[in-house]
Amino acid sequence: MTSLADLQFDNRFARLGDTFSSKVVPEPLSNPQLVVSSEDAMALLDLDPAEAQSEIFTELFSGMKIWSEAEPRAMVYSGHQFGAYNPQLGDGRGLLLGEVINSTGEYWDLHLKGAGSTPYSRMGDGRAVLRSSIREFLASEALQALGIPTSRALCVTVGDNPVYRERQERGAMLLRMAPSHIRFGHFEFFYYTKQHDALRELVDFTLQSCYPASQQADEPVLDMYRQVLRRTVDMIARWQAYGFCHGVMNTDNMSILGITFDFGPYAFLDDYDAGHICNHSDHEGRYAFNRQPAIGHWNLACLAQALTPFVEVDQLKAELATVMPLHQAEYMRLMRARLGWAGEQPGDEELLQRLLQQMQDSASDYHITLRLLAEDDSTARDQFIDRATFDAWLQQHQARQAADPGALAGRLTCNPVYILRNYLAQQAITAAEENDFSEVQQLHQILRQPFTRQPGREAYAAPPPDWGRRLEISCSS
């Protein structure tokens, strides 16, 4: 194990210089407290979980102290927000503290969110509030446990600093981790500002730090783009299979690594609704659940445009043409696993769509229904209004499973019992705002093992109460 004092830094991005980021010192929280920490995320840095109980842990991750080897930088980027290009965004409330190398040679960015104003705060205070910090922490670690590529969250701290959003709230900080914080919007910024030398430098840096194998390809930038595309497609297929709605799929929220990034008004589906909109600011439904694959394609086209100085347009178009077929293939692979269907058969897509349509018509709970089907529990029938139609579907489903019973064994390992429903997160936030962090900590522990029924925690697997269904979340933080 490594102590906090002995973390090894190698700040590669900071060395790119002021063209790519600005030097900023964190604005500390006053009287900070640790809200929750992730021992799984700590293990990625070789940290002993006991370190979280130390005073220095809270001080480091609330901005009160900083490693001498850290080089805090606010990154500059741009992006398309709700389809419109915004020429300059950047880290308005977060700082890349530095890059840590673990014992296996992996690099992990330490990024402190809510660390105060930066040159990119756009008249904002640069603060984060407790509720948004808790939501990102829980989502990051819950998605990881479900097998969905994501940034990670090490901890949340809270202070006495008043922060004004719709109401006065408490300032908080979240320590986010990822192998890289480079976004699609980084490339867009240098492309649209015609800084082609800097764009070339960014491309070379990304090849070296994120896609070293692509450097050996005949056309390294094209190969890198292909890898980004496939990772992004696979990530969104997993979102769709597990009912996850990102809420704000702007290009500045898209990671070059194809990991779930920048959690704002996200949600997991409760009752199945293909057109569910989880962001109450998304008035046109641009980022509705069923539009996520198409928006992923659109965002990948934006990234392709920024790479046209280095790759032929026709080559990029050829890669983009693979997005939807790749998505559908991966989505169906995941759903066949969830339903216990081995191999591929011609009627699979139609059979799945009939189930989803019945779930939509009956407002069936997406997660409970699939888990009951995985358990061969006859009460799955109770999730449907038209039970005769469901019975006819079930007969075909069971015949499909019988083609290869060996596929049934893995169903319980890919159909979760516990999901981070918005109402569960809200209950934990409400308690935390009263200085009771126990519910956040307990919910985090439950979500670490989503596929296993946990005695005494049946309430966390229940459908949401009426007040907790289809909660919409704001972008404010």
Side-chain angles (χ1 to χ4, degrees), residues 41-63:
M42 291 178 69
L44 298 172
L45 304 179
D46 305 315
L47 290 173
D48 186 334
E51 290 263 4
Q53 307 309 313
S54 66
E55 184 177 353
I56 188 64
F57 186 92
T58 301
E59 291 175 338
L60 283 168
F61 298 124
S62 62

Side-chain angles (χ1 to χ4, degrees), residues 150-173:
T150 179
S151 57
R152 304 299 300 272
L154 187 78
C155 66
V156 174
T157 56
V158 66
D160 294 338
N161 313 64
V163 178
Y164 299 92
R165 297 296 183 258
E166 287 95 343
R167 56 185 173 85
Q168 181 177 314
E169 302 182 58
R170 296 173 70 188
M173 291 188 189

Side-chain angles (χ1 to χ4, degrees), residues 272-349:
Y272 183 78
D273 175 13
H276 179 62
I277 302 167
C278 65
N279 179 354
H280 81 175
S281 301
D282 188 4
H283 305 299
E284 304 300 322
R286 177 179 177 83
Y287 300 137
F289 175 67
N290 58 1
R291 296 200 66 195
Q292 292 183 141
I295 292 297
H297 181 278
W298 195 91
N299 289 343
L300 284 161
C302 290
L303 176 61
Q305 181 65 45
L307 295 177
T308 54
F310 315 111
V311 184
E312 292 294 332
V313 170
D314 287 347
Q315 292 177 303
L316 292 165
K317 285 182 175 179
E319 295 300 327
L320 281 165
T322 69
V323 168
M324 299 312 288
L326 285 171
H327 167 81
Q328 189 64 12
E330 179 61 10
Y331 172 71
M332 286 304 302
R333 185 190 71 80
L334 293 165
M335 294 307 294
R336 287 187 183 99
R338 296 199 70 176
L339 291 163
W341 300 348
E344 298 180 21
Q345 292 194 9
D348 286 351
E349 290 189 26

Side-chain angles (χ1 to χ4, degrees), residues 187 200-216 219-225:
F187 297 88
R200 175 80 254 184
E201 191 174 356
L202 177 65
V203 166
D204 290 344
F205 176 83
T206 307
L207 278 165
Q208 182 179 5
S209 60
C210 300
Y211 294 98
S214 294
Q215 294 177 297
Q216 309 308 315
E219 298 190 56
V221 183
L222 175 62
D223 190 74
M224 179 182 77
Y225 179 75

Side-chain angles (χ1 to χ4, degrees), residues 81-118:
Q81 298 186 307
F82 290 89
Y85 184 67
N86 190 327
Q88 183 168 305
L89 298 168
D91 287 335
R93 61 188 175 99
L95 296 176
L96 176 59
L97 296 179
E99 300 170 63
V100 170
I101 313 173
N102 68 14
S103 58
T104 65
E106 295 174 333
Y107 278 78
W108 287 96
D109 284 2
L110 303 188
H111 192 271
L112 195 59
K113 296 187 71 172
S117 60
T118 77

